[in-house]
């Protein structure tokens, strides 16, 4: 991916993810501009020196004019309207997104813009805060950025989207949409539910309990503080995969309760968890291994990228 | 609590908690010394300039000689042997502990040293690491330190134990043992189980999932990395209270699953969790309110301390 082949980037939605992306791309000298529905956000972005507008048709006409890559960066409930506007005002532009589910977004795009070119994406970055005020050009630095990689994906389009992730400072993780959705159900959406319930049980006990709460509660419930409407959009958009991981979570907690009640032991649940955490740290706490031996566009490139992505390797392009 | 009334402190067990306590008390100029079973730990502590020994009868004879306050700082499974040794070699010394359950420890002390003077304690501090190498004299700085506060507690003994917590940099939270055990089941022991299961479900999905794991997984599963034997001792020592909070956790997750399956909604679980996290932050992220209007030893002091402790206030002496 050479930088001089990079096209302008047009970002629809300047919240935490979209706003941070606008900042890092523009700070890096790239052509990048954005749209946000809220005048306050547009004013904040402009005051910070970024190119932002609240006029969606005008922004999309500009994108069509300079053949920009359009990034959908709104929550799921707002996507249909955005896609319809793209289909109307910038039908030829390559589309990507930064939404936390991929099958649902692919359906929305296919339905609202059947002739559109679309390669999905999902940067694994965030905080419990949201909105322009929480944006940070370093948000994606060293983060993983899933890019949809199907047998039918156009290699040039894939390289454009992967290039955005790389310019944002992220590593590219190639995956199929369904595999992504199962993965994020397990490592993001399910943790939101366990954090929420863990918080509720703790706070329901007493003010004394919250007074005594220390690191395990602070860290274990942090994401419960994310804005509820963002959590709902994210989790409900991945309901099928989440139901599976939630059911497994319940089964394992029931087994833990039975062992504790009948044998006074938490041996199995604690050992399983310790082994799982070690497996996570072995992947997450070391430099990622780059994908090797794949030229994007050559025969079988997408399947080979997915195969290496499944082994936790990353594309560094 | 005046510093010049502080007695020497003898710490049995120099792991993360006991070792950190030895360091902060000695660094502060107080008389403090410790015992550990492992020669390696004793050597490490001595090499760092601290007063440590592997000879338990000798350490306890010294404590008896200088009327030290003895701090039990071993995991629950080692406590009975420690208490028996105290009863034999230093029966007149005031005993306290830093163990994460209070009713079980009180039973062990009452059984092994019926004539002993004992005021329980529990500093709410820790990391996923353990052993002398993880010790930190700042570990208790600003932390909450529960001190057992019953109607029969001797006020001078209470002040000695509370004084140790204060010299370590902690705030004192007065509470009854059973209230403490319910509280820590809800905000510490239960979070260990949800973290373990959340980690297991995530790691069971795929290496791709662990590759994509970001902040929610990292923070939400952190305590699953704690040494399994320490987790087992802590959780199994509070089995009754933990069974209650674990059952509530399961019930709430089942309700969340049913709502997601039948109505596609995570509304209730996410909103409850968000409200709970806000309640926690309102207590934990502000300076604690000091207990006022209580003179330890005056009529009704213990009940009044507990009452204010239940309202999340702290004793600052």
């Amino acid at each position: 991916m050479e930088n001089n082949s990079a096209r302008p980037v047009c970002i629809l939605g300047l919240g935490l993810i979209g706003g941070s992306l606008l900042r890092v791309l523009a700070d890096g000298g790239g052509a990048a501009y954005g749209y946000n529905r809220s005048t306050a956000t547009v004013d904040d972005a402009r005051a910070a020196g970024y190119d932002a507008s609240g006029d969606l048709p005008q922004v999309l006409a500009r994108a069509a004019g300079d053949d920009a890559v359009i990034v959908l960066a709104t929550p799921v409930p707002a996507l249909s309207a955005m896609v319809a506007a793209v289909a109307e005002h910038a039908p030829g532009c390559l589309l990507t997104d930064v939404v936390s589910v991929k099958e649902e977004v692919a359906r929305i795009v296919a339905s609202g813009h059947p002739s559109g070119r679309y390669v999905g994406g999902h940067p694994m970055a965030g905080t419990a805060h949201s909105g322009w005020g929480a944006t940070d050009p370093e948000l994606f630095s060293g983060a993983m950025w899933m890019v949809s990689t199907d047998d039918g994906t156009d290699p040039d389009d894939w390289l454009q989207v992967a290039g955005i992730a790389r310019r944002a400072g992220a590593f590219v993780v190639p995956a199929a949409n369904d595999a992504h959705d199962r993965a994020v159900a397990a490592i993001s959406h399910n943790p939101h539910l366990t954090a929420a319930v863990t918080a509720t049980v703790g706070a329901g006990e007493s003010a004394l309990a919250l007074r005594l709460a220390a690191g395990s509660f602070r860290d274990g419930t942090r994401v419960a503080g994310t804005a509820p409407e963002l959590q709902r959009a994210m989790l409900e958009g991945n309901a099928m995969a989440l139901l599976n991981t939630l059911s497994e979570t319940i089964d394992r907690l029931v087994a833990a309760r039975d062992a504790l009640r009948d044998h006074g032991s938490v041996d199995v649940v604690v050992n399983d968890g310790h082994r799982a955490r070690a497996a996570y740290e072995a992947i997450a706490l070391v430099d990622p291994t780059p994908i090797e031996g794949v030229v994007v566009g050559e025969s079988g490139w997408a399947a080979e990228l997915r195969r290496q992505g499944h082994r936790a390797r990353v594309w560094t392009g």
Side-chain angles (χ1 to χ4, degrees), chain A:
Chain A
M1 191 65 220
E2 303 198 8
N3 224 348
N4 56 15
S5 73
R7 279 186 256 147
V9 178
C10 167
I11 301 164
L12 306 183
L14 301 177
L16 173 67
I17 302 292
S20 295
L21 183 59
L22 174 62
R23 293 182 64 184
V24 65
L25 293 177
D27 292 0
Y33 49 92
Y35 156 81
N36 204 79
R37 187 180 54 177
S38 142
T39 309
T41 296
V42 169
D43 290 347
D44 287 347
R46 285 182 173 169
Y50 297 97
D51 189 345
S53 163
D55 184 339
L56 183 59
Q58 178 265 320
V59 167
L60 290 173
R62 178 177 172 189
D66 60 12
D67 195 24
V69 181
I70 296 176
V71 181
L72 303 167
T74 66
V76 169
L79 282 179
S80 291
M82 287 294 137
V83 171
V86 170
E88 181 180 352
H89 299 288
C93 286
L94 172 60
L95 260 182
T96 185
D97 74 294
V98 290
V99 179
S100 64
V101 291
K102 296 273 63 69
E103 294 213 287
E104 175 73 2
V105 176
R107 273 192 294 270
I108 291 170
V109 172
S111 158
H113 188 18
S115 67
R117 291 152 57 211
Y118 167 66
V119 176
H122 180 209
M124 305 305 299
T127 74
H129 304 289
S130 52
W132 177 268
T135 61
D136 175 4
E138 293 294 314
L139 185 66
F140 309 108
S141 178
M144 299 299 146
W145 192 310
M146 178 268 185
V147 175
S148 299
T149 309
D150 298 311
D151 292 339
T153 301
D154 179 87
D156 291 331
D157 290 348
W158 191 93
L159 285 170
Q160 284 291 335
V161 171
I164 292 173
R166 292 295 290 151
R167 294 202 298 283
F171 296 106
V172 172
V173 180
N177 286 343
D178 58 349
H180 166 275
D181 287 359
R182 286 195 303 272
V184 295
I187 54 79
S188 170
H189 303 165
N190 193 58
H192 274 81
L193 290 182
T194 53
V197 168
T198 302
T200 302
V201 170
E205 166 56 33
S206 58
L208 172 66
L210 293 179
R211 173 79 287 158
L212 293 174
S216 63
F217 192 83
R218 180 193 63 226
D219 292 353
T221 67
R222 181 182 60 81
V223 295
T226 308
E229 60 277 16
L230 294 182
Q231 294 191 72
R232 287 193 62 179
M234 184 166 71
L235 275 55
E236 293 170 1
N238 198 20
M240 291 291 288
L242 181 54
L243 273 171
N244 283 330
T245 57
L246 178 53
S247 292
E248 185 189 344
T249 301
I250 292 168
D251 291 346
R252 289 183 179 276
L253 286 171
V254 167
R257 181 189 59 190
D258 293 351
L260 182 59
R261 183 190 57 208
D262 299 340
H263 309 289
S265 172
V266 292
D267 190 19
V268 173
V269 59
V270 163
N271 281 321
D272 284 352
H274 189 260
R275 203 157 36 232
R277 175 71 189 186
Y280 160 71
E281 292 183 355
I283 286 178
L285 300 189
V286 298
D287 289 335
T289 305
I291 288 172
E292 286 180 352
V294 187
V295 176
V296 174
E298 288 195 350
S299 173
W301 69 275
E304 179 61 18
L305 283 188
R306 289 198 304 272
R307 195 184 68 76
Q308 296 201 32
H310 249 284
R311 293 172 56 203
R313 295 190 171 185
V314 300
W315 185 84
T316 54

